[in-house]
């Protein structure tokens, strides 16, 4: 059917709070060179502009829910955000953007048909998370956004099932949608009093362990080859134990929407692989 919706692009995207600091502070912390993730947002914006989506769906690795996958069904989002985690610099962030309630409700409808526990929530008092707001701010796109949660009592296969729900809902919606998996790869923080191995804070040498660095590079290479089948197979026994941010729910839902283990979308790195307080971060675009 010509009016079927489709996924027109997807990406794993870093959202770490350090990216929201002033240019001057990032340059100082980066030993004179900014995080490449900043330029990476511009490269990502160009990829999204090229496919002209009707909406962007963000799998938010910070919106932890329990018992249900949730979708933010509000029609409009406006307010001022201060992070409870790092309020000394991620504060006073103004946001004003459109939601996508029809797609949220379509996701709930498909989930009900399939016996997947998911709900669309339209509540004006629902809080926002910076894993969504940082992306909306840095991309600066005037399109509707839908945020999906990261249900913390899920195994890997539950995330894949919810992703498949999202993929079917997009097909029925008639919309052209870009998926953004907002989160890091390996996600083990350095201790509060850690000492840098490199003076440039973004340097991959500052990621929490050589094992995590090696694991992240392994996955990045599998992304490049489009071997999501290998990643999906290894996730419960290998990558979940690293662990990835949000148990990998942001990536697993995204790839679930694109066919799960059958997905062969190759990954194109849009930034360098960088450290953020010990976690492994990169922007990777997947050609669909």
């Amino acid at each position: 059917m010509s009016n079927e919706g489709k996924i027109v692009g997807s990406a794993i995207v870093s959202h770490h709070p350090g990216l929201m600091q002033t240019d001057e502070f990032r340059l100082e912390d980066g030993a004179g060179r900014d995080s490449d993730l900043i330029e990476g947002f511009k490269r990502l914006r160009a990829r999204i502009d090229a496919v002209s989506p009707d909406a962007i769906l963000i799998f938010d690795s910070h919106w932890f829910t329990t018992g249900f996958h949730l979708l933010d069904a509000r029609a409009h989002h406006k307010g001022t955000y201060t992070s409870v985690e790092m309020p000394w610099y991620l504060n006073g962030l103004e946001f004003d953007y459109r939601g996508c309630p029809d797609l949220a409700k379509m996701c709930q409808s498909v989930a009900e048909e399939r016996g997947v526990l998911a709900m669309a929530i339209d509540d004006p008092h629902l809080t926002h998370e910076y894993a969504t707001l940082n992306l909306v701010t840095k991309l600066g796109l005037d399109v509707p956004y839908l945020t999906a949660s990261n249900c913390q009592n899920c195994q890997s296969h539950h995330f894949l099932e919810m992703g498949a729900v999202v993929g079917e809902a997009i097909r029925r919606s008639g919309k052209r949608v870009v998926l953004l998996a907002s989160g890091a790869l390996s996600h083990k923080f350095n201790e509060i009093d850690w000492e840098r191995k490199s003076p440039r804070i973004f340097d991959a040498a500052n990621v929490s362990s050589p094992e995590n660095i090696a694991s992240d590079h392994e996955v990045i290479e599998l992304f490049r080859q489009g071997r999501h089948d290998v990643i999906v197979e290894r996730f419960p026994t290998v990558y979940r134990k690293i662990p990835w941010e949000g148990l990998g729910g942001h990536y697993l839902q995204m790839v679930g929407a694109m066919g799960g283990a059958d997905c062969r979308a190759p990954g194109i790195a849009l930034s360098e692989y960088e450290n953020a307080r010990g976690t492994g971060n990169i922007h990777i675009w997947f050609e669909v």
Side-chain angles (χ1 to χ4, degrees), residues 100-139:
C100 196
D102 52 342
L103 183 55
K105 293 170 185 175
M106 182 65 76
C107 288
Q108 176 175 324
S109 178
V110 174
E112 289 171 349
E113 290 177 13
R114 298 186 174 193
V116 174
L117 296 173
M119 288 190 294
I121 304 296
D122 183 1
D123 186 326
H125 304 294
L126 187 63
T127 57
H128 293 78
E129 301 293 341
Y130 70 71
T132 289
L133 296 181
N134 289 2
L135 268 56
V136 172
T137 301
K138 288 298 184 185
L139 290 172

Side-chain angles (χ1 to χ4, degrees), residues 181-243:
S182 180
L185 303 182
S186 65
H187 199 254
K188 183 178 185 302
F189 290 116
N190 291 320
E191 299 292 337
I192 191 170
D193 56 353
W194 71 295
E195 294 184 4
R196 300 181 188 183
K197 294 180 179 178
S198 166
R200 175 175 158 76
I201 197 169
F202 308 118
D203 195 316
N206 290 320
V207 171
S208 58
S209 73
E211 293 78 14
N212 283 4
I213 295 170
S215 175
D216 287 346
H217 281 300
E218 172 186 88
V219 167
I220 291 166
E221 174 59 21
L222 289 169
F223 285 152
R224 188 189 68 79
Q225 298 173 19
R227 294 305 305 272
H228 300 277
D229 56 325
V230 176
I231 299 172
V232 166
E233 180 183 7
R234 291 179 182 171
F235 219 97
T237 58
V238 179
Y239 303 126
R240 186 173 170 118
K241 294 181 179 179
I242 292 294

Side-chain angles (χ1 to χ4, degrees), residues 34-52:
D34 202 352
S35 165
D36 193 54
L37 293 165
I38 296 296
E39 286 299 313
F41 276 115
K42 298 176 184 177
R43 300 172 193 127
L44 176 59
R45 166 72 187 257
R47 295 272 178 171
I48 296 173
D49 283 341
V51 297
S52 301

